[in-house]
Amino acid sequence: MATPLHFSFILVEEFSHLAFSCAVEPLRIANLVSGKDLYRWSLISEDGTVATCSNGTVTQVHHGLADIPKCDRLFVLSGINMRDHVSKPLLATLRRERSVGTQIGALCSGAWILAEAGFLEGRRAAIHWEYHDSFMEHFPKANLVRSVFVADGKHITASGGTATADLMLHLIEQDHGRDLSVEVADQMVYNAVRDASAAQRVSLQSRNGMRNAHLSKAIKIMRDRTDRAISPASIADEVGISTRQLERLFGRYLNTSPKKYHMELRLDRARNLLIQSEASIIDIAISCGFESAGHFARVYRAAYGLPPTQQRDRIT
């Protein structure tokens, strides 16, 4: 029998119990339904004895920071008030583990800690939506995305809660195939599994921006016209402001440009049509304002990491 893959989890004080359960339970169920020891896991805390989660539950751990076992993946799992628990020993441990080649990821607010360690400059990362605005302010060189998880880079990250289960199911599929991943999801009675292309809700700053009359009107125009490309200049003219003002509003409240935001709306509509309808790919491409199926496929792959045909195959 092949050696089980070993996952280690550093439980940072006030960690999310929901994210913790969604991380470990899919691994346990994968072992159960396969009848094999496919995975094993270790729990780590700074003092090497216990870790306390945000709901007050105390969890016993196997190791401290000084004696982390050799593992296939190491995850930092934190929750609320993570900035209060970013200690020098924790950062030193993460840097030491990276130096020896350990694959390091983060769950829930853990991406903040990876960013503090200097791991996320120029890299895509996901973090719980509640921390988006402060994260962008503190770590402008990181490429923060609204995805529920990011698994295509050196440091994989999940935004917390059930997004952690989505990530674990993704890893199980990578390691042992889609059939096992689906069986694990069935055992969890989890029939809304998301891939990395799914987005979180918007942050507080973004929601405040929606109250801006000009921005709100621009977004409504975009949502009403996902069947075509629209230039920022024409949107600005219809709203009654300059193109430069429009660009500033989208940058300030949504951390994006009008052109990119409208493209995301069109792609999101296309994704929903791929998943929810039987329309042909060329019909979906045309209905979402793309000039050809080839153009649509290129843009879709650049955004979601897979072509439209594979997106549809994943749900059949």
Side-chain angles (χ1 to χ4, degrees):
M1 184 180 294
T3 303
L5 292 172
H6 186 179
F7 286 21
S8 288
F9 299 93
I10 298 177
L11 305 181
V12 179
E13 287 297 292
E14 296 189 89
F15 68 93
S16 163
H17 200 276
L18 176 58
F20 172 64
S21 298
C22 287
V24 174
E25 282 301 287
L27 306 180
R28 179 190 68 81
I29 295 170
N31 289 350
L32 176 68
V33 300
S34 69
K36 302 174 184 178
D37 290 330
L38 301 178
Y39 296 98
R40 63 188 182 97
W41 49 91
S42 298
L43 308 181
I44 298 148
S45 73
E46 188 155 343
D47 69 9
T49 55
V50 297
T52 305
C53 70
S54 56
N55 67 16
T57 303
V58 177
T59 301
Q60 290 186 320
V61 302
H62 306 105
H63 303 278
L65 296 179
D67 63 331
I68 294 177
K70 183 176 176 56
C71 56
D72 296 287
R73 290 193 181 277
L74 174 65
F75 288 97
V76 181
L77 201 173
S78 56
I80 61 173
N81 301 319
M82 67 287 175
R83 281 171 279 189
D84 297 338
H85 307 297
V86 183
S87 66
K88 289 182 179 179
L90 175 56
L91 296 178
T93 296
L94 293 173
R95 291 168 182 146
R96 181 192 73 222
E97 289 295 321
R98 185 174 72 161
S99 72
V100 298
T102 304
Q103 294 188 55
I104 301 173
L107 309 173
C108 195
S109 64
W112 187 287
I113 298 172
L114 294 194
E116 285 278 12
F119 292 1
L120 297 181
E121 288 192 10
R123 299 187 184 280
R124 297 173 74 243
I127 195 170
H128 192 282
W129 62 265
E130 192 170 15
Y131 305 111
H132 273 207
D133 300 326
S134 56
F135 186 95
M136 288 188 293
E137 182 178 344
H138 281 81
F139 308 109
K141 293 183 180 179
N143 182 11
L144 185 66
V145 297
R146 285 181 55 214
S147 304
V148 290
F149 67 84
V150 172
D152 59 355
K154 185 173 183 180
H155 300 292
I156 64 177
T157 49
S159 57
T162 55
T164 307
D166 296 318
L167 172 61
M168 290 298 157
L169 291 166
H170 171 81
L171 295 178
I172 291 168
E173 179 178 347
Q174 271 192 342
D175 297 336
H176 300 289
R178 181 159 175 77
D179 288 347
L180 179 60
S181 176
V182 169
E183 194 170 357
V184 171
D186 287 344
Q187 286 290 324
M188 295 167 62
V189 198
Y190 188 30
N191 58 3
V193 182
R194 299 165 292 181
D195 60 26
S197 64
Q200 300 181 69
R201 62 178 292 177
V202 297
S203 68
L204 178 62
Q205 179 182 358
S206 300
R207 283 183 279 128
N208 286 341
M210 303 306 179
R211 301 189 187 109
N212 179 287
H214 291 144
L215 181 61
S216 180
K217 185 175 180 180
I219 290 172
K220 184 178 186 307
I221 292 169
M222 292 179 179
R223 289 189 183 280
D224 289 345
R225 300 176 198 172
T226 53
D227 60 340
R228 72 196 86 161
I230 320 172
S231 72
S234 65
I235 296 170
D237 184 61
E238 194 166 341
V239 171
I241 59 177
S242 69
T243 304
R244 188 172 179 182
Q245 283 177 294
L246 186 71
E247 296 278 356
R248 280 203 300 263
L249 284 173
F250 274 83
R252 176 182 176 186
Y253 290 113
L254 299 174
N255 193 38
T256 190
S257 67
K259 185 175 181 180
K260 184 176 180 182
Y261 188 88
H262 190 228
M263 177 62 77
E264 288 174 352
L265 290 178
R266 292 163 59 205
L267 286 170
D268 188 57
R269 178 169 180 255
R271 182 177 181 274
N272 288 336
L273 288 172
L274 285 168
I275 293 171
Q276 299 168 11
S277 78
E278 296 182 1
S280 69
I281 289 176
I282 183 60
D283 285 343
I284 292 172
I286 292 170
S287 71
C288 294
F290 295 95
E291 59 191 31
S292 67
H295 177 225
F296 171 51
R298 288 192 298 274
V299 175
Y300 196 95
R301 186 184 190 108
Y304 296 138
L306 75 172
T309 50
Q310 287 186 23
Q311 181 76 80
R312 176 163 277 173
D313 287 346
R314 291 182 64 85
I315 60 165
T316 58

